[in-house]
Amino acid sequence: GAVVSQHPSRVICKSGTSVKIECRSLDFQATTMFWYRQFPKQSLMLMATSNEGSKATYEQGVEKDKFLINHASLTLSTLTVTSAHPEDSSFYICSASYSYNEKLFFGSGTQLSVL
Amino acid sequence: DQQVKQNSPSLSVQEGRISILNCDYTNSMFDYFLWYKKYPAEGPTFLISISSIKDKNEDGRFTVFLNKSAKHLSLHIVPSQPGDSAVYFCAATYTDKLIFGTGTRLQVFP
């Protein structure tokens, strides 16, 4: 089946630094990628939808200047958390699909801890 | 190793009948389980959840059952409606990890 690789799986950084998370579709071209954030025991929250070659669509309440999303190719989308603060500590997960009506494939997630 | 499995890739149910979506897991450390629903070209949206200390949680037409001894989770939709046609993902979590199944496509026909 289709594989989505997410890297890194865990990152610890100091407050004020920026962190980049990569999401790659390994064996298919992902026209759309989604970025989510999840707090412990809470439901997944969709942050933004990323379409290759165009600007990401952010959900209400998500700061686009803080969470920069780039989907420069059909196999790679990146999420950059800029000037990270402790409240940004969370589990971030990406997912990808390769056509309008296909199932979604998820990355393994990134646990971000901001000190 | 797939820790959360949805062995049925698709399910077709007549409108008004019950839809039962199944999910199996292997990790006994999971303590919270969730179901998500996904329409085409959209991200998944949260549907219903259950804690490992319970065996049933109901919300309107949706009921989730948990059988910890069998490591089995199921979502019941009754009565099924055409608008329920979507892909359903189960997910399991412990500590800070959230692991998804691969999804089951439900089609509800008139």
Side-chain angles (χ1 to χ4, degrees), chain A residues 53-111:
Chain A
S54 63
K55 290 184 178 180
T57 303
Y58 290 82
E59 296 299 305
Q60 191 173 12
V62 178
E63 300 174 64
K64 61 180 180 182
D65 294 330
K66 181 167 188 62
F67 299 100
L68 300 178
I69 292 173
N70 184 283
H71 192 164
S73 77
L74 284 171
T75 59
L76 175 65
S77 177
T78 60
L79 168 67
T80 301
V81 183
T82 62
S83 187
H85 291 282
E87 58 265 30
D88 298 325
S89 298
S90 187
F91 185 69
Y92 294 86
I93 190 167
C94 71
S95 64
S97 62
Y98 57 88
S99 69
Y100 181 82
N101 201 32
E102 284 299 328
K103 291 166 60 173
L104 209 59
F105 300 95
F106 290 89
S108 55
T110 298
Q111 180 62 45

Side-chain angles (χ1 to χ4, degrees), chain A residues 36 44 100-101 103 108 111, chain B residues 36 40 44 96-97 102 105:
Chain A
Y36 310 87
L44 210 61
Y100 181 82
N101 201 32
K103 291 166 60 173
S108 55
Q111 180 62 45
Chain B
Y36 289 84
D96 54 5
K97 294 291 288 186
T102 52
R105 182 182 300 280

Side-chain angles (χ1 to χ4, degrees), chain A residues 25-33 71 73-75 96-99:
Chain A
S25 56
L26 298 185
D27 55 358
F28 67 100
Q29 293 184 325
T31 51
T32 305
M33 287 187 172
H71 192 164
S73 77
L74 284 171
T75 59
S97 62
Y98 57 88
S99 69

Side-chain angles (χ1 to χ4, degrees), chain A residues 9-10 34 36 38 40-44 46 49 91 93 95 97 100-104 106 108-109 111, chain B residues 9 31-32 34 36 38 40-44 46 87 89 93 95-98 100-105:
Chain A
S9 59
R10 183 176 293 273
F34 302 92
Y36 310 87
Q38 196 244 347
K41 292 188 171 58
Q42 295 183 27
S43 64
L44 210 61
L46 178 64
T49 301
F91 185 69
I93 190 167
S95 64
S97 62
Y100 181 82
N101 201 32
E102 284 299 328
K103 291 166 60 173
L104 209 59
F106 290 89
S108 55
Q111 180 62 45
Chain B
D31 59 3
Y32 200 69
L34 309 96
Y36 289 84
K38 179 193 174 301
E42 297 180 11
F46 171 74
V87 178
F89 293 91
T93 182
T95 63
D96 54 5
K97 294 291 288 186
L98 181 67
F100 285 87
T102 52
T104 297
R105 182 182 300 280

